[in-house]
Amino acid sequence: MARRPNLPRTQSTNPLVLLSAILLVPLVALLDFLSGPDLGFSLFYLVPIVIVARIGSRLSAWFAAIVGTLAWMVIDVLTTPGYTGVLIPLWNTLTRFAFFTLALVAVRRNHEQLQSARVMALSDPLTGLPNREYLLIMLNAASARLERYGAPLTLAYLDVDDFKRVNDQHGHMAGDRLLQRIAGVLLDEVRDTDTVARVGGDEFLILLPDADILAVRAVLERVHQALKAITDRDSTRVTFSIGACMFQRPFESVEAMLRESDERMYRVKHSGKDSITIDEVG
């Protein structure tokens, strides 16, 4: 089974930020107690709960809601002279918890929808791989490491030779299934630290950071052999041209890096296709 693609993830939350947001609850409760029963603080109890729901996990958000409800109940009991019935504090607590729950659910749903939209904007809908935009983000990060630490990076352009013939002879659905199988093979054969992206109809890019020439060659030859195996097995008459550039010094721009690797791929196609070329730059 192919491993999951290296898709964009939700930014991790600093635990100190999350803890600070949760600690706002007792702070609000203290201010509520000091202000007395005449001033309403209900809205301020909601603030830390919304913050935790937005930046923390679902569990931490529920924890903040429970803590906020209990804190509000305690302050209400301490500052209210007396109740007309023994069930009134319980009723108030339940209604406040329901209020916090509605706010929590709304904030979490909005946050998850935003994250889902972000992932969709940076991924290819057919293969599930990252798209060109996400690859550029990763390439910029790898280029910055190259400039600062001298960590080499390799950019490999892969093109499916004669892919149009698959669509013409077997239909676009067969072509789509082939692209999905190719994506699965690429994910299986590259390293966990590598990024695979679909950047065109039948074109893929592989970003290999922090790898020497021997490691790069080993990965690309493994990819090439695995791709040939799946096409031989189902008699799909396509081959694969891979052109790669290994950058050992800062380059003028990431777009120039893309052009360099694209040029190597076309050299392979013009010299007979179905092979790999790797050039060291710098």
Side-chain angles (χ1 to χ4, degrees):
M1 180 182 294
R3 67 178 175 89
R4 294 179 65 83
N6 182 22
L7 288 174
R9 300 174 181 270
T10 304
Q11 290 184 345
S12 59
T13 301
N14 188 323
L16 291 177
V17 176
L18 187 58
L19 179 61
S20 299
I22 293 176
L23 290 178
L24 280 175
V25 176
L27 177 61
V28 171
L30 176 61
L31 293 175
D32 190 9
F33 176 75
L34 294 176
S35 66
D38 295 331
L39 293 178
F41 264 73
S42 57
L43 181 62
F44 296 99
Y45 283 95
L46 188 59
V47 172
I49 295 171
V50 170
I51 293 174
V52 175
R54 179 64 179 81
I55 69 173
S57 66
R58 185 177 283 106
L59 181 62
S60 63
W62 282 110
F63 177 74
I66 292 171
V67 171
T69 302
L70 294 176
W72 196 353
M73 179 192 71
V74 170
I75 300 303
D76 199 23
V77 170
L78 292 176
T79 57
T80 302
Y83 294 100
T84 58
V86 295
L87 294 180
I88 291 179
L90 178 61
W91 172 259
N92 290 342
T93 300
L94 292 176
T95 56
R96 288 160 183 168
F97 184 68
F99 171 61
F100 289 154
T101 298
L102 290 174
L104 184 156
V105 170
V107 172
R108 290 295 303 179
R109 181 172 298 175
N110 177 259
H111 177 65
E112 289 166 0
Q113 288 174 344
L114 288 174
Q115 291 302 316
S116 177
R118 177 174 176 266
V119 171
M120 290 178 63
L122 295 174
S123 61
D124 171 52
L126 176 64
T127 63
L129 292 176
N131 59 18
R132 178 187 176 91
E133 285 71 26
Y134 183 67
L135 181 105
L136 287 174
I137 294 173
M138 300 301 290
L139 181 55
N140 272 295
S143 181
R145 288 196 301 275
L146 170 61
E147 183 172 3
R148 184 168 184 177
Y149 303 111
L153 70 90
T154 298
L155 199 56
Y157 224 117
L158 183 148
D159 183 79
V160 185
D161 304 320
D162 304 312
F163 178 74
K164 184 176 182 298
R165 189 166 56 195
V166 176
N167 286 333
D168 292 342
Q169 295 180 358
H170 305 286
H172 288 278
M173 290 186 65
D176 289 347
R177 287 194 296 270
L178 175 59
L179 292 173
Q180 290 168 341
R181 289 200 300 274
I182 291 171
V185 168
L186 292 175
L187 290 173
D188 279 342
E189 301 303 331
V190 301
R191 306 169 304 163
D192 290 341
T193 54
D194 300 333
T195 300
V196 179
R198 183 185 178 209
V199 295
D202 60 346
E203 295 180 344
F204 299 83
L205 272 168
I206 307 172
L207 172 62
L208 303 100
D210 307 324
D212 59 27
I213 189 67
L214 293 178
V216 169
R217 187 171 297 280
V219 170
L220 295 183
E221 288 181 351
R222 189 166 66 238
V223 165
H224 197 246
Q225 290 301 316
L227 289 173
K228 290 180 68 175
I230 64 166
T231 54
D232 289 344
R233 187 166 59 246
D234 61 11
S235 301
T236 304
R237 303 300 182 188
V238 296
T239 55
F240 303 90
S241 297
I242 303 176
C245 279
M246 182 177 185
F247 299 94
Q248 297 178 319
R249 59 173 175 79
F251 217 65
E252 55 185 284
S253 68
V254 294
E255 292 293 345
M257 290 178 170
L258 291 170
R259 288 195 298 270
E260 289 289 326
S261 58
D262 189 31
E263 179 184 337
R264 268 61 173 190
M265 182 268 290
Y266 276 103
R267 287 184 191 175
V268 175
K269 294 181 75 70
H270 294 154
S271 61
K273 304 178 182 179
D274 196 25
S275 63
I276 304 170
T277 185
I278 306 172
D279 287 343
E280 297 184 59
V281 179

